Amino acid sequence: MIEIVRGEHDTGPPTAPQPLENLKHDVLASLVVFLVAVPLSLGVAFAAGAPLLSGLISAVVGGLVASLFGGSPLQVSGPSAALTVVLADTIATYGWPVTCAITVAAGLLQILFGLTRLARAALAVSPAIVHGLLAGIGVTLVLGQLHVVLGGSAQGSALANVLALPRQIAAHHDQAVLVGVVTLAVLLAWPRLPKVVRRVPAPLAAVALATGLSVATGMSLPRVDLPAGLPTLHVVPRLPDGGWGGFAVAALTIALIAGLESLLSAVSVDKLRGGPRTDLDRELIGQGAANVAAGALGGFPVTGVIVRSMTNYEAGARTRASAILHCAWILAACLLFTGVLRLIPLAALAALLVYVGAKLVNVNGLKEVRRHGDLPVYAVTLAGAVAVNLLTGVAAGILLALALMLRRMIFSGIHVEKDGDRHRVVIEGALTFLSVPRLTRVLAEVPPHAEVRLELLVDYLDHAAFDCLRGWQQAHAGPVTVDEIGHPWFERGSSGAPTVRRSVAARVVPRWLAPWSEWQAEHVVLPAQRTASSLLCRGASEFHRRTAPLLRDTWSGLAHGQQPHTLFITCGDARIVPNLITTSGPGDLFTVRNIGNLVPPADGDDSSVGAAIEYAVGVLGVAEIVVCGHSGCGAMKALLGQAPDGLVQLGSWLRHGEATLRRRAREAPLLLGGERPGAEADQLALQNVVQQLETLRGYPVVAEALARGGLRLTGMYFDVGAAQVSLLDDAARGGFVPAGVPEY
């Protein structure tokens, strides 16, 4: 079997991996995840004030069900730090048995969300809100557990924790502080240790060293309280006696937070592993089933945990067997090593959670949010989550995100520019009733008698905005010319047939692609203004207003030299626009245009085209030469005897097309898209492209470049009526085939 590694390519179809080979990787990965999961499961339960055993039940039962029924094969599920804050409030309000019933209800809601295919809707939540929510959870977790690390106990709210922290720092510190400091020190130092040492997961190493220190020195401090031996499993959940509204809100909050974290974790793993994407609806159903099972057995709520899932992937997991096996190892540890787990100091778990909480404040994510201008949304979500609760933080973030979106719609693209004695009012984007206050304020800046050009580049115009513009146009004392680019929203409204939906708006060719003369013929009122020079001057003005600002940086980079990749030889016909039909721009094409896209022989007496060929290939080093013919070519008609009388210079030039006539006489007709063109001149145009390519091979500079593999010759044909570009295909015996999707 050939293994694909970086920089290498397989020489045949990949061999399907053997099940035993997958199992080997999955077993090793499951052991690594198990070592990370045990201390985190205990720590999360401890932080929420839940029974410590509930964290292990969740890791075993919930993790197993989610792995079997979820949609992400490498996702690892269990108790998550993201739920500690909401769980702490729920337990304090309802007690543990009712909290277990809330977990079951949250699981049923997740299953309902998955069955109704709402999973992808969660991905529409702004990343700023997600990062702000996680940061809020992290800050709350740090503020609470820091008290435990310092030998005290967490207060009832984040604000109370902040106010009590100075007193806690100044207070007497006992053995718990030493254990917490040692745990944090190991966690911070572990990434800087040699790779062979870092094979042991940092959480396991930190908790193990802190536990060993506490046992070796005989410290007397609170430790993990687990029942000795196999615990008796029974149905724990109990419905509340009242307060069903709070019960429902708590279940919905847990369902949303757990579902969102699970989906984001699955998407993150997908980005790393490649291959088929996760079935997000199935993943949500699997997570819901896991919460039903975990809650029914007295376990902590379950989510797909990003830390464990990433660890699973990085450890080399291949299939979902890794996540299933990690549950088996946790169960074995609960049965065989309960005595060891009971030695872990609670201060060590608190320090671990301080570290995990700090990691939830993702600095890189914050920088990304700031770059996209969503820092206020992040800050409001974080503040709401810390000061009130998680659901309030998310709601505040969503409301602010909507407000910012509306503000951007209202304030973007409405401004006045002074152009000599005239004024230009430029309006861009969607113009709705929300924009009317801003629109009226900007229009009020225009002097009452000024000549105004109202430029509309809108992709939607509702009735309120149209009425505002129309009323201002009619009330303005000076002349107002409406210049509408794109779909004629304003024009249709003025004619009494307004366009009311974007979906039915006609697609309009942008002015910089459509013929400028055609647009002027439709929009310039006075025929006297439609002269050639007037059209060019107006077109140049349009270029300076619209195109130049967009391409100024491009031309600035080309100011001191050119490096075109293609020499493009085509006809001087006004209907052929090389940059348009090849989607190229400034600096791409070195263009030669003449009557009939002819290439004189290298040893002939016409040096103009030859000079361009030598310069393009020998000096500029173009990688390709394209000869482009077209339908309805006047030069081809002239070669067939249809030349206008009295054109001496044209007759002299067309002698370079005699080789094309000879080729037509001796060669079979060329096909265009599998068919023979109906017009005789078009058939000759195809032969002419092939003949000019042959003539090009006679140039020494071209022959030399072809010999060393530094140049390619391409034949092209443009059907003007069909707007179809076709390329010469030697494999099709010299026929032309429509240009399709290029192979990269």
Side-chain angles (χ1 to χ4, degrees):
M1 184 179 73
I2 299 175
E3 184 179 0
I4 301 176
V5 296
R6 290 182 182 177
E8 296 182 359
H9 299 279
D10 197 355
T11 57
T15 305
Q18 299 300 319
L20 288 179
E21 183 184 355
N22 281 343
L23 184 61
K24 177 184 70 175
H25 287 85
D26 288 335
V27 169
L28 294 175
S30 69
L31 289 170
V32 175
V33 178
F34 152 69
L35 295 175
V36 173
V38 170
L40 286 177
S41 298
L42 293 171
V44 167
F46 168 69
L52 296 184
L53 184 61
S54 69
L56 297 176
I57 292 174
S58 173
V60 175
V61 178
L64 179 62
V65 173
S67 300
L68 289 173
F69 299 105
S72 177
L74 300 186
Q75 178 98 291
V76 180
S77 301
S80 168
L83 289 172
T84 54
V85 178
V86 66
L87 255 292
D89 291 340
T90 305
I91 295 170
T93 304
Y94 296 101
W96 181 244
V98 176
T99 299
C100 291
I102 290 174
T103 300
V104 174
L108 294 174
L109 283 175
Q110 287 180 307
I111 293 174
L112 178 63
F113 294 156
L115 291 175
T116 52
R117 308 186 71 81
L118 294 177
R120 290 195 176 274
L123 300 181
V125 177
S126 168
I129 296 175
V130 175
H131 286 298
L133 175 63
L134 294 177
I137 293 169
V139 169
T140 306
L141 198 58
V142 170
L143 291 175
Q145 296 307 306
L146 201 54
H147 283 276
V148 180
V149 172
L150 294 173
S153 58
Q155 306 299 308
S157 67
L159 181 59
N161 281 321
V162 171
L163 295 176
L165 194 57
R167 185 174 64 253
Q168 186 68 60
I169 294 173
H172 171 72
H173 301 302
D174 55 13
Q175 298 169 340
V177 179
L178 177 60
V179 170
V181 170
V182 168
T183 306
L184 282 173
V186 173
L187 289 168
L188 293 172
W190 206 253
R192 298 175 176 83
L193 297 179
K195 187 175 181 180
V196 65
V197 178
R198 286 187 280 112
R199 289 181 178 177
V200 179
L204 176 66
V207 173
L209 289 173
T211 302
L213 174 65
S214 69
V215 172
T217 57
M219 293 182 183
S220 177
L221 71 172
R223 300 180 187 272
V224 169
D225 183 17
L226 290 177
L230 179 65
T232 302
L233 297 178
H234 56 277
V235 178
V236 176
R238 180 173 61 82
L239 295 176
D241 297 328
W244 287 98
F247 181 95
V249 170
L252 180 62
T253 303
I254 292 172
L256 292 176
I257 294 175
L260 185 60
E261 183 180 10
S262 299
L263 296 176
L264 293 175
S265 174
V267 170
S268 299
V269 174
D270 282 349
K271 289 179 180 178
L272 289 177
R273 70 182 180 90
R277 303 292 90 182
T278 293
D279 183 340
L280 297 180
D281 293 307
R282 177 184 168 184
E283 178 63 23
L284 201 53
I285 293 172
Q287 293 293 332
N291 275 317
V292 171
L297 295 175
F300 199 89
V302 173
T303 78
V305 186
I306 186 66
V307 174
R308 300 181 202 182
S309 301
M310 288 298 187
T311 301
N312 190 40
Y313 169 78
E314 291 169 359
R318 298 284 183 87
T319 70
R320 63 181 72 237
S322 172
I324 295 172
L325 286 172
H326 114 280
C327 300
W329 307 141
I330 297 175
L331 178 61
C334 294
L335 298 178
L336 303 177
F337 302 105
T338 306
V340 175
L341 296 177
R342 294 170 69 190
L343 296 175
I344 300 175
L346 295 182
L349 296 180
L352 174 61
L353 288 167
V354 169
Y355 178 78
V356 172
K359 296 283 282 186
L360 287 176
V361 184
N362 188 332
V363 177
N364 290 330
L366 176 58
K367 291 179 180 178
E368 187 71 16
V369 166
R370 182 176 178 274
R371 281 195 293 267
H372 285 272
D374 287 335
L375 189 58
V377 176
Y378 175 95
V380 165
T381 305
L382 189 155
V386 173
V388 188
N389 56 52
L390 300 180
L391 211 54
T392 300
V394 172
I398 291 174
L399 289 176
L400 182 58
L402 290 173
L404 289 176
M405 180 192 70
L406 293 177
R407 183 182 182 276
R408 288 162 182 163
M409 289 179 62
I410 294 170
F411 285 93
S412 63
I414 305 176
H415 62 279
V416 178
E417 299 176 3
K418 191 170 182 181
D419 185 12
D421 295 332
R422 295 176 297 179
H423 287 72
R424 294 173 56 233
V425 179
V426 182
I427 302 175
E428 300 173 300
L431 200 61
T432 68
F433 67 95
L434 297 171
S435 307
V436 169
R438 163 74 174 171
L439 180 60
T440 55
R441 188 162 58 252
V442 172
L443 292 176
E445 299 174 7
V446 180
H449 297 278
E451 180 181 349
V452 179
R453 185 183 187 86
L454 184 61
E455 296 187 4
L456 300 179
L457 294 84
V458 299
D459 52 15
Y460 182 73
L461 181 68
D462 75 355
H463 185 199
F466 166 78
D467 194 58
C468 175
L469 284 175
R470 179 76 171 184
W472 177 84
Q473 181 193 32
Q474 293 174 344
H476 187 70
V480 178
T481 302
V482 179
D483 182 7
E484 200 162 10
I485 299 174
H487 182 75
W489 297 92
F490 188 83
E491 180 183 331
R492 293 283 178 85
S494 301
S495 65
T499 303
V500 296
R501 294 193 305 274
R502 285 182 178 178
S503 58
V504 298
R507 291 190 301 173
V508 179
V509 180
R511 294 215 299 250
W512 43 89
L513 295 181
W516 183 248
S517 56
E518 179 180 302
W519 187 89
Q520 288 285 294
E522 294 179 0
H523 293 83
V524 175
V525 179
L526 300 177
Q529 294 180 343
R530 299 176 190 161
T531 63
S533 60
S534 173
L535 292 178
L536 287 179
C537 290
R538 290 176 180 270
S541 298
E542 176 80 2
F543 166 80
H544 282 290
R545 285 201 307 269
R546 302 271 176 233
T547 312
L550 302 177
L551 291 174
R552 189 165 287 120
D553 289 343
T554 300
W555 265 301
S556 177
L558 296 170
H560 302 292
Q562 58 172 324
Q563 291 183 323
H565 53 70
T566 300
L567 167 60
F568 198 87
I569 303 174
T570 190
C571 186
D573 194 297
R575 298 167 294 178
I576 310 303
V577 186
N579 291 103
L580 184 62
I581 66 174
T582 60
T583 315
S584 51
D588 291 337
L589 305 181
F590 190 84
T591 307
V592 173
R593 306 192 67 156
N594 60 51
I595 301 299
N597 46 273
L598 299 175
V599 178
D603 55 359
D605 56 357
D606 191 299
S607 60
S608 174
V609 176
I613 294 171
E614 286 186 346
Y615 187 75
V617 178
V619 179
L620 299 178
V622 297
E624 184 176 25
I625 301 179
V626 173
V627 176
C628 178
H630 66 96
S631 62
C633 181
M636 298 302 104
K637 295 177 182 178
L639 283 173
L640 292 172
Q642 303 175 32
D645 296 331
L647 301 181
V648 178
Q649 296 296 329
L650 175 63
S652 175
W653 170 254
L654 288 179
R655 73 184 189 279
H656 299 305
E658 293 174 357
T660 298
L661 292 174
R662 293 193 295 269
R663 181 182 186 86
R664 169 175 171 266
R666 70 174 185 269
E667 299 288 345
L670 293 173
L671 301 181
L672 179 63
E675 298 180 358
R676 185 173 175 178
E680 192 174 0
D682 293 346
Q683 297 174 25
L684 185 62
L686 297 177
Q687 295 283 3
N688 185 56
V689 170
V690 179
Q691 179 57 47
Q692 304 316 310
L693 293 175
E694 289 297 322
T695 306
L696 276 170
R697 297 177 188 276
Y699 281 77
V701 67
V702 173
E704 181 183 350
L706 290 172
R708 67 171 185 271
L711 184 65
R712 180 175 63 183
L713 301 184
T714 300
M716 182 179 291
Y717 180 85
F718 183 63
D719 187 330
V720 175
Q724 174 66 59
V725 175
S726 297
L727 301 175
L728 179 63
D729 185 6
D730 292 330
R733 297 182 180 178
F736 286 75
V737 296
V741 179
E743 297 181 0
Y744 296 103

